[in-house]
């Protein structure tokens, strides 16, 4: 329980800092991210339990990575992260999961994710801000990548990339677990008004 409370306090501090840095009021962030003002107030007070989709919308709107909202301060020049120390941000109905392993620093950060999808299990993603590019590298099994309504088979040993500003879905295919590494390449700076 203490870990959850600490994680919420870190998230609250990081959202407030990113919002202030972007020069956005709670009302404006609420409008742009399509998240209720009440949820944002609770989040900045380290209350509530925001879902993955909410975190993605906030990160996109603030022009930061999801992990930039969730991570504490880093120490040292090298950061090594073990999958078993990172909580899943998405868990599928059949046991699949997504873990945000880390985000690189700099003006155009990259998120690195580990995904597991069971056969038939899927995660539909809303479109990201313009300039976001996603790359998926399947390390085991098969998946179906659906981008803007078109299906693409991606098998172990293959990598696909696409502009993330279109609706997209990850779906486990074949008979076994699909394992993949996904990177999300973010454009520099906060999102523009929409």
């Amino acid at each position: 329980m203490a870990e959850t409370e600490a994680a919420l306090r870190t998230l609250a501090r990081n959202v407030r800092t990113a919002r202030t840095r972007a020069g956005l009021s709670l009302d404006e962030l609420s409008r742009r991210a399509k998240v209720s003002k009440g949820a944002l107030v609770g989040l900045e007070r380290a209350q509530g339990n925001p879902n993955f989709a909410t975190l993605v919308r906030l990160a996109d709107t603030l022009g930061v990575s999801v992990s930039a909202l969730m991570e504490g301060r880093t120490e040292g020049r090298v950061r090594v992260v073990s999958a078993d120390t990172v909580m899943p941000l998405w868990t599928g109905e059949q046991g699949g999961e997504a873990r945000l392993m880390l985000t690189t620093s700099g003006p155009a950060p990259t998120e690195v994710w580990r995904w597991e999808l069971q056969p038939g299990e899927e995660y539909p993603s809303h479109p990201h801000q313009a300039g976001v590019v996603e790359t998926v590298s399947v390390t085991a099994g098969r998946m179906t990548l659906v981008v803007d309504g078109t299906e693409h088979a991606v098998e172990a040993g293959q990598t696909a990339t696409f502009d993330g500003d279109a609706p997209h879905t990850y779906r486990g295919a074949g008979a076994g677990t699909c394992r993949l590494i996904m990177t999300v390449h973010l454009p520099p700076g906060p999102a523009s008004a929409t």
Side-chain angles (χ1 to χ4, degrees), residues 94-152:
Q94 298 172 36
E97 62 182 28
R99 294 174 190 254
L100 177 57
M101 299 303 296
L102 60 86
T103 301
T104 62
S105 59
T110 299
E111 298 176 348
V112 179
W113 293 80
R114 284 180 165 257
W115 283 78
E116 287 187 4
L117 295 165
Q118 299 304 319
E121 190 170 48
E122 66 179 39
Y123 175 77
S125 178
H126 76 284
H128 301 291
Q129 65 174 312
V132 171
V133 175
E134 291 194 23
T135 302
V136 292
S137 294
V138 176
T139 60
R142 293 178 32 210
M143 73 173 289
T144 301
L145 172 64
V146 183
V147 178
D148 211 12
T150 302
E151 294 187 0
H152 307 272

Side-chain angles (χ1 to χ4, degrees), residues 18-127:
R19 179 179 62 79
T20 302
R21 187 178 302 129
L24 298 176
S25 66
L26 283 167
D27 287 325
E28 186 62 15
L29 179 57
S30 171
R31 184 185 70 76
R32 290 186 189 186
K34 297 179 178 71
V35 174
S36 76
K37 183 178 177 183
L40 287 175
V41 169
L43 183 61
E44 288 194 5
R45 292 182 179 163
Q47 300 168 344
N49 185 17
N51 66 30
F52 178 54
T54 298
L55 293 176
V56 170
R57 285 195 306 274
L58 287 172
D60 279 352
T61 302
L62 292 168
V64 299
S65 66
V66 172
S67 65
L69 295 179
M70 301 181 63
E71 291 179 347
R73 292 170 177 80
T74 60
E75 295 181 23
R77 296 181 71 148
V78 176
R79 184 171 28 151
V80 177
V81 180
S82 297
D84 60 350
T85 64
V86 178
M87 296 298 297
L89 289 179
W90 172 80
T91 303
E93 292 179 7
Q94 298 172 36
E97 62 182 28
R99 294 174 190 254
L100 177 57
M101 299 303 296
L102 60 86
T103 301
T104 62
S105 59
T110 299
E111 298 176 348
V112 179
W113 293 80
R114 284 180 165 257
W115 283 78
E116 287 187 4
L117 295 165
Q118 299 304 319
E121 190 170 48
E122 66 179 39
Y123 175 77
S125 178
H126 76 284

